Amino acid sequence: MGIIIRQSIKGIIVNYVGAFIGFLTTFFILTKFLSPEEIGLTRVILEVSTLIGSIALMGTSASIMRFSWPL
């Protein structure tokens, strides 16, 4: 088998294991220990932080090119 095929199979396995762990966490562990309001709050905090992070990166490349030391 080629290197790319082996790496692809490993990547697929890791993706499925991660999705399964996320499923277990979301549907069984979180619902047992947290109320629906707390679960919703954690989701909102995560999504807002992702949005703010992507907005913060918008001008980063232009700033780096403008203010970097000329080589």
Side-chain angles (χ1 to χ4, degrees):
M1 245 198 278
I3 295 173
I4 296 174
I5 294 173
R6 276 188 281 148
Q7 288 178 349
S8 298
I9 292 172
K10 288 178 186 177
I12 289 170
I13 291 170
V14 168
N15 281 334
Y16 279 121
V17 168
F20 183 69
I21 291 172
F23 170 77
L24 288 178
T25 303
T26 303
F27 285 104
F28 297 115
I29 297 175
L30 285 180
T31 56
K32 184 174 183 178
F33 295 110
L34 298 177
S35 69
E37 292 84 14
E38 292 170 334
I39 295 172
L41 180 63
T42 58
R43 296 289 176 192
V44 167
I45 290 172
L46 179 65
E47 292 190 18
V48 167
S49 66
T50 304
L51 181 66
I52 290 174
S54 62
I55 290 172
L57 288 175
M58 240 184 241
T60 305
S61 61
S63 298
I64 290 173
M65 297 202 39
R66 182 173 184 168
F67 296 112
S68 65
W69 186 262
L71 298 175

